[in-house]
Amino acid sequence: MSLVLDPPIRQEREYTVAPPTLRAADPLPPLARRAWQQSWLRKSLLLLLLAIAWEAIARYQANDLLLPTFLQTAQAFVDGIVTGELLDRMRVSLTVLLQGYTLGIIAAFALTALAASTRIGRDLLETLTAMFNPLPAIALLPLALLWFGLGRGSLLFVIVHAVLWPLALGAYAGFQSVPETLRMAGRNYGLNGLRLVLHILVPAALPSILSGLKIGWAFAWRTLIAAELVFGTTAGQGGLGWYIFQNRNELYTDKVFAGLAAVILIGLLVENVVFRPLETLTVRRWGMQR
């Protein structure tokens, strides 16, 4: 005899839902909150706090030879700009830097395009980067002086070395991350070799290429300043590194800090005037980067 159980009966309840009420529109945020949302204002405030801390520490130490105050450094920087000495040093350094950076970009893209097109090129790139990427560019300066003499050629040699390997690695890593479907689509349109690299791989790998360009720029800038500190002038003209070294020998510490400030300001300008707008116009607009 089977026993059949009736299913339990759920108790029913009725709820009265209050009619929706219209919420008033949120007022605009106050001026201080809107101002704080500006990135440039926050960064400017941080720089101002650092300058105040620098001034306070320097005044507490009371030794201009070891640490000049922020106001003394700013005065030395303004004097260098007004007299034209600091501007001339920056012009010399930037001229050499742009030449070496351009040569390094050309060499890196030629090597990366060869690696993306052929197996021999891939083996060559992997072998050369494993050998030379860990080697500091400044360590090649004695050889550069022996081969190219005390002139611009030595600086260009070490700058190209500083730019070539990080940029080649970044571009090659970007090429390796390109989906196979994009490669197949390019081949279906008859693209191969260099045309495939330019029309398919370079746009798809642009975030990695831009990262390599930024890293190569930083390496090149540091290498140039270090090289100028080591052997000074090129063809009778010294750059920012020589300006710093010369004033250090003459115990003008405020001018040394002014030269360092010029190096930092140039780095900030390149980052915010060159690379950031380039990223905004390309990879951020295309949705490839946040």
Side-chain angles (χ1 to χ4, degrees):
M1 180 177 178
S2 61
L3 182 61
V4 179
L5 297 178
D6 295 332
I9 300 175
R10 297 183 60 183
Q11 186 176 3
E12 296 182 358
R13 292 185 175 87
E14 293 183 0
Y15 296 95
T16 302
V17 180
T21 57
L22 296 177
R23 295 179 57 188
D26 293 333
L28 291 176
L31 181 60
R33 186 181 305 174
R34 281 184 291 174
W36 185 250
Q37 293 174 355
Q38 303 297 323
S39 175
W40 65 269
L41 186 60
R42 297 196 304 270
K43 293 178 181 179
S44 300
L45 181 60
L46 289 175
L47 292 177
L48 179 61
L49 292 177
L50 289 175
I52 293 174
W54 178 1
E55 184 75 18
I57 294 173
R59 288 182 180 274
Y60 175 78
Q61 189 179 13
N63 190 339
D64 297 341
L65 184 62
L66 294 180
L67 182 64
T69 64
F70 175 79
L71 295 178
Q72 290 174 334
T73 302
Q75 183 63 42
F77 183 84
V78 172
D79 291 342
I81 296 295
V82 172
T83 59
E85 182 183 11
L86 196 55
L87 289 176
D88 190 55
R89 304 297 187 182
M90 288 191 283
R91 179 187 58 80
V92 173
S93 292
L94 289 176
T95 301
V96 178
L97 177 71
L98 290 177
Q99 293 175 353
Y101 190 62
T102 303
L103 292 175
I105 290 174
I106 294 173
F109 276 107
L111 189 59
T112 309
L114 182 64
S117 305
T118 62
R119 184 178 298 274
I120 294 298
R122 188 181 310 120
D123 294 338
L124 177 65
L125 176 62
E126 292 176 354
T127 303
L128 291 179
T129 51
M131 292 170 55
F132 294 113
N133 190 44
L135 186 64
I138 198 66
L140 295 175
L141 188 57
L143 288 177
L145 293 174
L146 182 64
W147 293 340
F148 303 102
L150 188 64
R152 182 166 295 186
S154 301
L155 291 178
L156 293 178
F157 178 78
V158 294
I159 291 174
V160 169
H161 174 82
V163 175
L164 174 59
W165 310 116
L167 179 55
L169 279 177
Y172 183 67
F175 290 168
Q176 292 295 102
S177 64
V178 175
E180 188 64 27
T181 53
L182 289 179
R183 300 173 184 266
M184 295 173 62
R187 294 190 186 99
N188 288 337
Y189 280 100
L191 301 178
N192 52 29
L194 185 59
R195 295 178 62 198
L196 181 68
V197 172
L198 293 177
H199 294 284
I200 299 297
L201 299 184
V202 170
L206 197 56
S208 298
I209 293 175
L210 286 177
S211 297
L213 287 172
K214 292 169 67 174
I215 295 173
W217 147 258
F219 283 4
W221 189 224
R222 289 185 296 181
T223 299
L224 174 63
I225 299 301
E228 289 179 344
L229 282 168
V230 171
F231 71 92
T233 62
T234 59
Q237 293 181 326
L240 277 174
W242 177 247
Y243 177 85
I244 295 170
F245 181 77
Q246 190 178 32
N247 284 289
R248 194 270 298 176
N249 290 336
E250 298 176 2
L251 299 180
Y252 293 137
T253 313
D254 53 347
K255 292 186 177 182
V256 172
F257 275 88
L260 295 175
V263 173
I264 295 172
L265 288 176
I266 291 175
L268 290 175
L269 284 175
V270 171
E271 172 67 26
N272 292 280
V273 176
V274 178
F275 288 114
R276 193 177 299 276
L278 184 60
E279 290 178 348
T280 303
L281 291 174
T282 55
V283 294
R284 293 187 182 179
R285 176 175 293 182
W286 299 341
M288 302 168 66
Q289 192 180 74
R290 294 184 60 185

